[in-house]
Every structure is written in structure tokens, then in C-alpha cells.
Amino acid sequence: MSGPGFFTGMAEEAPKDPSKPLLAWEKTKPPPEKSRRKSLEQKQELCVPQPFRADSPSPSNSPCFMGPDSEEKEALDYIEAFLKGDEQDEAKKLKFLESISTLSRAVSTRSPEGNLDAFICKSLLVEKIKVLIHQESIDSLASAVRQQAMLAVMELSKVKPPLGDMEQSSLLTICFLSVFSLPPADTRQEVEAALYTKTLEAMDQMLKALMCEDEKPNLLELQNILEVLLPWTASNEVRGRLRAVERITWLIRLIASHHKFNGLDEFKVLGQLVGCLTLCCADQDQEICRWAVDGLHHIYSFMLRQKCRTVAKDSTEYLQILRDWQAENTFWFAWFTNTSDIAMMFGKYFHPAERTDFILTALDGMRDASVHNSVAAAHMLHASLGVPVPGLEKVSEAVRSMYRNLDSISEPLAQEELLRALRLLGYRYSEEVVVALLGCSLSCDSVAAEMWRTLTSHPKTTGRVLRELLHRLQERPLRQQHDVSQKEAIVTPLAATRALYEILLEPACRREVQELYPQLYIALLFQITYTVEPSVQDIAYYWRVCSQQDTPTPLSPVRSAVKAMKALLRCAGYGDQVTFIQKQGGWDMLISTDTHHKGVCLLARAMIKNRLQERSWIFHQLMAILDSKDDKRHIPAMAFFIQLLQCPDLGNQLEDAILDQMRRQLRDPKTVVRWLALKGLFNLALHPEKVVKLQRLLGDIQERLYETDRDVIAKAIAVLKLILTSLDRQSASPAAVQVAQRLLLFFDDESSKLRVLSIALFRDLLGVVTAPYRWQMKEHVLRSLVPLLLRLHDENPSVSQVSWDTLARAALFLRWRRLRALVHSKEMWQICDCLLARYKRRADNFLCQTLAFLESPQATVREAAIRFLGLTARQLDSRNHDKLDAICNVLKGLVQDSKSSVRCLATQTILILDAFRNQAPSRCNLRTVAQRLGMICTR
């Protein structure tokens, strides 16, 4: 007995016409029971309400269940004894199972509630039945335990409480495994064959009881059964597939004979069901093929019948359904032998979710490990995607299936069809495909890389995929999430970075990359920024995801982003920039927290030669970021922005908005931002035509001279130098006077760079001051002379040289010919004499200025200060003991100086000043002191 003509194990002959559904078996009649023949009054008189266990729940309002002499009571007692016993032979097992059936029938007949838990735990019985079935050998069929167990399950299904989905699923799994794995029928003896037939009959009765409520099929229950049955259609054993397809086809015939169902809207397994049977239509075993074809025929009729009920009787769609139904009934056997035809026929009537399930089944059937014909599965997939019907659902699941299966498909046609399907999905459902593939592989392994290359192998798809990747790159990775359900999203930008790298290696997508180049550039730039300094929690989560995906030693997120940036530059035709940045050490700067902004500056410097359109887009995008509240992106955005300001073709874009932006950045609380703002203004000031507009920011720039950070001060001086020396003298004079006063404080700064910059700017400012401001400037010049003279002895040659130049400019400003001549001949101490002789009244001021230099870290400057102090002191009245004492006390502090030359010079100067103070004033004595001090100065 085989094939759709005869159903193996059925109690009656199958209809000869395969288009008609088989009749279900008649319900097995239970043996006559005396207790059932008694009248209700007799039962009430004889029965004593005794629950099975003392702790069993028993409804107080239920009628008495049974009398102590009843057959049912005997069944309860035996069940209890069996559950407590250890040794159980086959006879005891059979009687235990029969007792369960007897008890279940009694409960469903006599108890108004029909609740078995009032007497014994139903779940406990189900678990015991599973154990008994599991103990049966799958190599032979020697007992009726399986048969009786399934009949017991059938009776249990009729009483409350209902079986839970998980409970029923595990029970069916054990039943199918126990029966489907038995040896083929042709290897059995006659007695065993008969027992096998009865066992299958019992299984089918059990399935019918589980599926039907009051003889009416419940499609939700059918779905639960099919979810356990369908995997068997891919069994490696022919007998397992055959028995599964037989059961499926019988169940389908059973529902096809009905017109009303429960759970129709919840029947979600139709696509998978059709897919599995379609694959079986190409099975090498002809019997499996015939059963699968018969099952598809009944499913198709069932679908069209349901469709007819949902459309208007006089509609075009209704007439088309009738034509399809008539044609199918005529040629159904021929049509259901070709997987492409099947896909086309069903595809027209599939819902999107059903169509997706069909595709997923085809994908699984293409694997090398599958028992199905991979070429037939490929044709299934091709035809299904070619059906012109509304979209798909669960596209993400389809992509994940492609990722799982691609590496295990060796058939060329199947591989080609899978990748073609991926391209089609990528074009129609770009967002879902990109997100799903990103979630498959954080590190973009070889399978994912091939899929990305496939998606971008066609220009129309490439643009869509790149835009979706761009959206993911614009998200912030490794961000802290309060909602656990959002955790998976935090690594999506990291996966997008790796995917983009693989795509950028393909020259075919160069045109599409160039179209999106500025957007991709900015997105990658800030991916580097976001990942340069992750938190400990971020790192832990990143490595946890890598371990879950079996990622072998992945790159750190920041290095991966840098790698993608290099690939982007090369793909866009800017390989020379990669080399330039490499030579400057910029790539290493980018991955360090301390030097990241400097690396960003190098990136921007390299971009200056890019196309104007690209730079203009980036320029405006950076402006928007600077206006936002994103602290993480602020500094790198500023670093990039200021470099673009030096591009000459951006001159027309120097508007008020840019200057307002720079003013805000100059006032930012972060020191590095203020420094970057000054650097940006410096770049602007390099273009003379822009200097006039920068004049409005002079006040903010001057404020930076009062900073504590020397780098900020130095950059402010450099900016002021460019602006003030480029403006006309009338415009520059007011600011020049104010700046000159502040610069004097830096002549003795510990930073030689700041000394050079401040002295040089002071020198340049002397040439821009107009007549109305000369008298104010003259005071600053006179205050600068002593520091300049002492800086002539600076150990840094640059400071010494710029001091000579500034002295020369000061002499010119003061219109002092004698000083100009001495500076020209570099007569250092004669300059001092000349200065003291001309400005005797400023001797006290000179003394105060000189005292400050006695604490200089440079020995040469301290020595010069001591000599100048001695020379200045001679301008004092010898009777002014207080000042002389104060000078000597200061010099005494240098007697212990670490430098011997300083100690010696300080000691000699103290002796000379003491002698000068203790002698009466006379012309001779003053001349003598002057001569001695002169000798000291010339040593």
C-alpha cells in the first residue's frame, strides 16, 4: 500500500480519485462500560465523592464522579500504582495506557467540567507517556506500546486542561521520531507489518483529535502539528520523508473536505508548507513525489476556495480565480511536477509573509547538506521572485538565511540564483537588506564580503546600498543604551564601516562613491572620532559581540574606521592624499586621543586641493555641526573647518555667519577650541582681502592675550601680527597701542617661542602707529628698552637677534640718532650708559624692571641684569640709603647662585655699592664708582 492511491496504514481504502479527499477514520468505539449504562440516580446513590489524591483539587459543586466498585476507579488506582512502581513490563505499560484512555473517556463523559486535573495531573501523565514512547526501540516494532500511547494521547486531548503548545510539540516530536525512524515496511515480518499499520492508524487518529474541535478542523492546531512535521520532509532517510509527506497530505485532505474552520486568520505556515512539498516534488523517490503532488493539489484548491470568499462574486479577480481553479483541476498533475510552475501558481495568491516563507524554504533546499535537489530549489527561488505581486515580509530573515547558506552551496546555478535574489532584494528593499546583513557579521567575514560585493555589482543597487550604509555610518556607535532591546544597534555603525571598506575595494562602484564622497568622508571622519576613546563598558560590549559572531582577532573600531577612510580616498581618486598624510604621521595621530585633532587638521590640509563642490558641501556641513550640541564632534569639526578657511576659492563665502561662528569659538570654555579658532583666523588672515572683515574680531582676539595657556597666547600674537600689519595705519593704531602694552609682559616669559613672537610683534607695531597715538606708544617703547637690552644676552639666538632688531626700530621711533648708531655697532654697554644718561629721571623705573630679570632661569640674563643694576644705581643719590640697601639685599640673594660667574659678579657689585653708600658725595667718588662699574660691565 503506497502512493496517493492508497494511504499506508489507513483503516479503509482510499478513494480512487486522488482529487477527492480521503475519509477520516471512524472514531474507535470504547468497550462497553457498566457504569455508563447506570442512570444518574443510581450513580448518585452508589458513588462516594473521593478525589484521587488527598491534595487534588475537586470542585465542591461537581457531582460524584464514580463509585468505589467502578471500572474507572480501578483505572485510577492502577495509574497511581504504575506511577509509583519501578519495574514495568510491556503488559503493565499497556494496561497503564489503557487506564489513561478509560479515565479520560469517563471524565469527558461524566464530569461537567471535563477537567482531568481534578483527579490527577494531566501534564504528569503526558510526561510519562513521552517516557514510555522514548523507551521503545527505533530499530524494530515489537510491541503495541506506541499504538496504545497515541490512543491515550488522543483521549487526553479531549479533556481539560488543554495541552500547551510546548507540551504538545515535544510530545509530537517524540511520537514522530519513534515511528518515522522505524525500518522500511518491506523489511518487516507479517505480524510486525500489521502492528505497524495499526500504529500509523493510531497516530493519525491522534493527529485528527489534536487538530479537530467538535469534528471541525482548527487551523491553528494544524499549524502546531505541521511545525513539527515539516522538518521531517528534509530528513536524510527516505522512509522518514515519505512518512512525513504521507501524514501532511492526509491532514491537508482532511481540511480540504471542510468549508468552515477555526483559526483561519492565525494559520501562518502556508508558505513553508507549500515550499517543503514543492521541494519534495523533485525528490528522487517517486512515491514521495506523488504524495507531495497530491498534497499541493489539495492545498491549491483550499487556497482558491478561501480566496473566492473574500472577493466580490462579479469581480474580475473572482472570475480569474475560477479560471485558475478549473485549469488546475484539469492539468494539476502535470503542473505540480515542475518547481518553477508551482512557484508561479502559488505565488499569485500568496500573502507577502507566505511568499517570504516559501523563499526561505527554497534557500534551505539549496544547501549541499540538504536532501533536496539544489537546482530545483534554485528554480523555485527564481520563479518566486519573478511573480509580480506586492512585496515581501521578513526580508531580514531571508538575508540572514542567505548569509547562513551561501558558504554551504557548491552548485554553481544555485549560487548564481542566490546572489541574483540578493541583488533583487537589495534593489527593492535596500534598508532591510543592509540592516540585516550588517547584523550578520560585525567583522564582515568572507561570506558577508561576497554578499556586499554582489549588492554593489549593479549601479542601480550600488547607489541605494551606499546611501543606506551612509545612514548607518551617521549614527553614533558604542553609545550607552538604557534600553536593553536597543543594544544590538550600537555596533551597526562599526559593521557599516567594515562593509564600506569591502565595497570601496571594488573599482566598479567608483562613480557611485564619488557622488556620495563628501557625505561618506564626513561620516567616516566622525566614526573615527566616536571610536577613538570608547568607554570600558563600550569595549567590553564590542568584544562580547565579536565573540558571539566568532570574529577572529578583529581590528579595533578606530583602526577599522581609519582603514575605511584610506580606502575611500583611494576609491575617489585621492590616493596621493593617503601618502601625504602617511608621511606626516597623520594616520597615527588620528587614533590617539591626545593628537586626534591634529590628525584631523592634516586630513583637512590634504583636502585643500579637492574639487570645490566637495569642499563646499563639507564646509557647510561642518558649520551645522559647530552649531549643534554634539560635544564629541565639536573639536574635530572645528579642526577640519579652520583648515578649509585657508582655501582661496572659499573667499566669497566669508560671510557674517562665519565670523559670528569664529567669535563663538573664541569664547568656548575648552582651551583647544579657542586655540583652533585662532588658528582658523590665522588661515583667514593669510588672504589680505579678508583682513578688513576680521577687524571686527580684534577685541576677542586681544582677550586671548590674557589666557594662561601659552599656546593660545602665541597663536593670538601670530593672528594679531597678520591683521594689524595688513590694516591701514589709521585703523590699526588704536589696537596696536593696546596690544603693545600687553606684549611687554611676555618679554621675560619662560617660553622662548613666546618671547620671540611678542618682541617681533612689538617691533612691527612701531611701524603702524600714526601721530595721534605716538605719545601713548612712546611710553610703551621706553618701558621696553631695559627688557630689550637684557634680552640681548638671551641664550636663544632668535631672541637675541629679534631684540637687536627691535632696539633699532625703537631708536627710529624715538628719533634718537645716538642710540641708532650704538645699536648699529652693537655697543651694548654704551647703549646702557646712553640710556641712563638721557633718562635719569626714569632710573627708579629702570631699577624695578631690572630686578625682575634677576630671577631669570638663564645665567647670562641674570649676569646682564646685575651689571645693569649696578650702572642704574649710580644714578641714585648716595645718601638714598633705603634704595641702595634694597638693591644690595636683592644682590645678596644671588651670592648663593648656582652659577659661579653670577655669584662673583653679585659679590663685587655689592662691595662697590657699599663703598658708594658709605662715602661722602664728591665728584671724584662718583667718577670712581662709575669707573669700577664700567670695568665690571666690560668683563
Side-chain angles (χ1 to χ4, degrees), residues 288-326:
I288 295 175
C289 294
R290 288 193 294 271
W291 278 106
V293 168
D294 189 47
L296 287 172
H297 166 60
H298 287 286
I299 294 174
Y300 192 71
S301 298
F302 169 78
M303 283 180 58
L304 296 186
R305 186 186 304 123
Q306 299 306 316
K307 276 287 181 183
C308 285
R309 295 174 178 174
T310 61
V311 297
K313 300 295 183 182
D314 56 348
S315 66
T316 303
E317 185 179 0
Y318 182 82
L319 297 177
Q320 181 61 48
I321 293 173
L322 291 180
R323 285 193 293 269
D324 287 345
W325 200 345
Q326 183 178 6

Side-chain angles (χ1 to χ4, degrees), residues 784-805:
S784 73
L785 294 177
V786 171
L788 289 173
L789 285 170
L790 297 178
R791 280 298 159 197
L792 296 176
H793 300 270
D794 199 288
E795 294 175 357
N796 187 319
S798 298
V799 177
S800 177
Q801 182 58 50
V802 75
S803 298
W804 280 112
D805 295 342

Side-chain angles (χ1 to χ4, degrees), residues 125-141:
L125 297 180
V126 172
E127 288 300 317
K128 190 60 178 179
I129 292 173
K130 289 163 57 177
V131 171
L132 295 180
I133 297 175
H134 183 70
Q135 289 173 348
E136 294 294 297
S137 172
I138 60 174
D139 297 324
S140 63
L141 183 61

Side-chain angles (χ1 to χ4, degrees), residues 31-90:
E33 302 174 75
K34 295 180 181 179
S35 59
R36 293 189 178 185
R37 297 173 185 171
K38 296 179 180 180
S39 64
L40 179 59
E41 292 79 6
Q42 289 175 317
K43 287 189 291 180
Q44 290 175 342
E45 291 176 359
L46 296 174
C47 291
V48 178
Q50 294 180 346
F52 178 66
R53 294 190 306 270
D55 58 348
S56 297
S58 180
S60 59
N61 59 348
S62 296
C64 221
F65 175 62
M66 61 187 69
D69 298 328
S70 69
E71 182 181 359
E72 290 82 356
K73 180 63 170 66
E74 181 182 349
L76 281 169
D77 292 339
Y78 190 85
I79 291 172
E80 180 185 40
F82 185 85
L83 292 174
K84 293 179 179 179
D86 295 329
E87 297 183 5
Q88 299 162 352
D89 56 20
E90 181 180 346

Side-chain angles (χ1 to χ4, degrees), residues 217-431:
N218 185 310
L219 292 184
L220 183 57
E221 294 299 332
L222 173 61
Q223 176 172 288
N224 294 334
I225 297 172
L226 289 175
E227 285 175 349
V228 184
L229 262 178
L230 287 175
W232 279 94
T233 63
S235 170
N236 290 324
E237 298 292 338
V238 174
R239 59 180 181 270
R241 296 200 302 277
L242 175 59
R243 291 161 182 168
V245 175
E246 287 175 346
R247 305 276 81 66
I248 292 171
T249 299
W250 177 72
L251 290 171
I252 294 169
R253 284 174 170 175
L254 189 60
I255 66 164
S257 63
H258 290 75
H259 298 281
K260 294 183 180 181
F261 309 93
N262 293 325
L264 181 61
D265 295 336
E266 300 178 18
F267 191 66
K268 308 296 183 183
V269 77
L270 183 61
Q272 183 185 0
L273 172 62
V274 174
C276 289
L277 291 181
T278 302
L279 290 172
C280 288
C281 287
D283 199 287
Q284 293 180 351
D285 186 272
Q286 293 302 308
E287 194 171 1
I288 295 175
C289 294
R290 288 193 294 271
W291 278 106
V293 168
D294 189 47
L296 287 172
H297 166 60
H298 287 286
I299 294 174
Y300 192 71
S301 298
F302 169 78
M303 283 180 58
L304 296 186
R305 186 186 304 123
Q306 299 306 316
K307 276 287 181 183
C308 285
R309 295 174 178 174
T310 61
V311 297
K313 300 295 183 182
D314 56 348
S315 66
T316 303
E317 185 179 0
Y318 182 82
L319 297 177
Q320 181 61 48
I321 293 173
L322 291 180
R323 285 193 293 269
D324 287 345
W325 200 345
Q326 183 178 6
E328 189 272 339
N329 277 316
T330 304
F331 303 105
W332 67 269
F333 191 81
W335 284 351
F336 289 120
T337 55
N338 183 287
T339 55
S340 295
D341 290 343
I342 298 170
M344 294 293 292
M345 290 176 64
F346 279 93
K348 292 189 297 182
Y349 297 106
F350 273 152
H351 295 303
E354 295 167 346
R355 187 179 175 211
T356 306
D357 288 338
F358 184 86
I359 291 172
L360 290 171
T361 306
L363 289 171
D364 288 337
M366 293 162 65
R367 294 182 293 114
D368 293 343
S370 173
V371 298
H372 300 299
N373 188 314
S374 59
V375 175
H379 290 319
M380 264 177 73
L381 179 64
H382 182 92
S384 180
L385 289 172
V387 176
V389 295
L392 298 173
E393 292 183 5
K394 300 185 289 186
V395 173
S396 299
E397 190 174 341
V399 175
R400 288 191 290 270
S401 177
M402 291 177 178
Y403 173 78
R404 290 191 304 269
N405 294 329
L406 179 59
D407 204 32
S408 60
I409 298 175
S410 59
E411 168 61 45
L413 178 62
Q415 279 188 345
E416 180 182 347
E417 192 54 46
L418 184 148
L419 296 177
R420 188 194 77 87
L422 177 63
R423 283 192 295 270
L424 185 60
L425 293 179
Y427 180 75
R428 294 180 180 175
Y429 311 98
S430 304
E431 182 178 1

Side-chain angles (χ1 to χ4, degrees), residues 565-773:
M565 178 65 86
K566 293 179 183 178
L568 175 64
L569 291 173
R570 291 191 180 100
C571 187
Y574 297 118
D576 56 329
Q577 294 185 21
V578 178
T579 305
F580 167 77
I581 297 169
Q582 181 68 41
K583 290 180 178 178
Q584 301 295 323
W587 300 118
D588 291 332
M589 292 180 185
L590 282 171
I591 63 177
S592 171
T593 306
D594 297 332
T595 59
H596 177 68
H597 67 280
K598 294 182 180 179
V600 173
C601 287
L602 272 174
L603 278 176
R605 282 177 55 193
M607 178 179 260
I608 290 176
K609 295 182 179 179
N610 279 32
R611 291 181 289 271
L612 173 61
Q613 183 179 3
E614 295 171 348
R615 287 187 282 109
S616 179
W617 187 93
I618 292 176
F619 182 82
H620 290 289
Q621 185 70 16
L622 292 171
M623 283 278 287
I625 293 173
L626 291 176
D627 287 334
S628 70
K629 302 298 182 181
D630 191 341
D631 291 339
K632 193 77 172 178
R633 293 192 298 172
H634 191 97
I635 292 176
M638 188 64 186
F640 207 104
F641 178 78
I642 62 169
Q643 292 295 333
L644 293 182
L645 292 177
Q646 62 183 304
C647 298
D649 49 11
L650 287 176
N652 295 332
Q653 299 183 28
L654 185 62
E655 302 171 351
D656 292 342
I658 297 177
L659 293 180
D660 291 340
Q661 184 68 256
M662 299 308 292
R663 174 179 281 113
R664 287 194 294 272
Q665 306 307 320
L666 283 172
R667 299 172 181 178
D668 193 273
K670 295 185 180 65
T671 301
V672 65
V673 174
R674 299 195 299 274
W675 181 87
L676 288 170
L678 289 168
K679 185 175 177 62
L681 291 173
F682 181 88
N683 292 335
L684 285 174
L686 291 174
H687 306 287
E689 69 277 8
K690 302 174 184 178
V691 171
V692 174
K693 294 183 178 181
L694 293 179
Q695 186 177 357
R696 56 193 276 193
L697 298 181
L698 273 175
D700 294 281
I701 300 171
Q702 287 177 239
E703 285 295 320
R704 306 285 70 78
L705 296 177
Y706 295 87
E707 295 266 0
T708 56
D709 187 274
R710 285 176 170 76
D711 287 337
V712 174
I713 296 171
K715 187 59 67 176
I717 291 174
V719 175
L720 288 169
K721 178 181 176 67
L722 282 175
I723 296 177
L724 293 177
T725 55
S726 299
L727 292 173
D728 62 88
R729 294 179 65 191
Q730 185 175 359
S731 300
S733 290
V737 173
Q738 296 174 5
V739 171
Q741 180 181 6
R742 185 63 185 172
L743 291 176
L744 292 173
L745 300 177
F746 306 126
F747 284 13
D748 189 32
D749 193 84
E750 61 186 36
S751 168
S752 59
K753 176 183 178 181
L754 195 54
R755 294 198 298 272
V756 171
L757 289 173
S758 59
I759 295 173
L761 178 55
F762 189 89
R763 175 199 61 198
D764 296 339
L765 294 181
L766 296 179
V768 302
V769 178
T770 55
Y773 297 94

